[in-house]
Amino acid sequence: RSNAWMGMPDKVTRCLDVVPALLIGNITFNVLYNAMSSTFYSQACQMDIRLGRQADSMQLNGSFFNLADSIAIIIFTPLITQWFSPAFERVTGRAFDYNLKV
């Protein structure tokens, strides 16, 4: 969508051009993050999350599964920045800039 109705393009109009993408990105992130914070706990209550087959085995807490989010960020962020981004730039001939990351 264009903000041409606001006059000559300057820093303000260019900044306003980014607002729809930021809104969609923030709403999507928050919906998924809230699902992880609430629905996953409810699912963990219904699962048998004991370590072992005995009745007195240690049981994991439902919040234990949120560690997967942190582990995925720690593992995949360097992989994406070191290998995926340069490979994308070589294949497409286009810079992997912030607009593509959003």
Side-chain angles (χ1 to χ4, degrees), residues 84-94:
F84 178 76
S85 298
F88 178 84
E89 289 176 354
R90 280 193 306 272
V91 169
T92 62
R94 190 176 160 185

Side-chain angles (χ1 to χ4, degrees), residues 3 8 23 28 35 38-39 49 51 53 76-77 79 81 84-85 89 91 100:
N3 286 326
M8 293 297 295
L23 284 175
T28 304
S38 61
T39 311
I49 50 179
L51 297 176
R53 297 187 185 273
F76 288 111
T77 299
L79 292 176
T81 57
F84 178 76
S85 298
E89 289 176 354
V91 169
L100 288 173

Side-chain angles (χ1 to χ4, degrees), residues 7 27 33 36 39 45 57 59 66 69-70 72 76-77 81 85 91:
I27 290 170
Y33 192 78
M36 184 179 73
T39 311
C45 289
S57 296
Q59 184 173 1
N66 280 344
D69 180 41
S70 302
F76 288 111
T77 299
T81 57
S85 298
V91 169

Side-chain angles (χ1 to χ4, degrees), residues 42-87:
S42 299
Q43 290 176 352
C45 289
Q46 301 299 320
M47 295 180 346
D48 182 13
I49 50 179
R50 289 178 288 177
L51 297 176
R53 297 187 185 273
Q54 293 80 18
D56 61 344
S57 296
M58 184 175 81
Q59 184 173 1
L60 296 173
N61 188 343
S63 63
F64 172 79
F65 297 104
N66 280 344
L67 288 175
D69 180 41
S70 302
I71 292 169
I73 290 170
I74 291 169
I75 291 173
F76 288 111
T77 299
L79 292 176
I80 289 171
T81 57
Q82 295 295 320
W83 290 311
F84 178 76
S85 298

Side-chain angles (χ1 to χ4, degrees), residues 12-28:
V12 174
T13 57
R14 289 177 48 199
C15 180
L16 290 175
D17 285 338
V18 180
V19 171
L22 288 175
L23 284 175
I24 291 171
N26 280 330
I27 290 170
T28 304

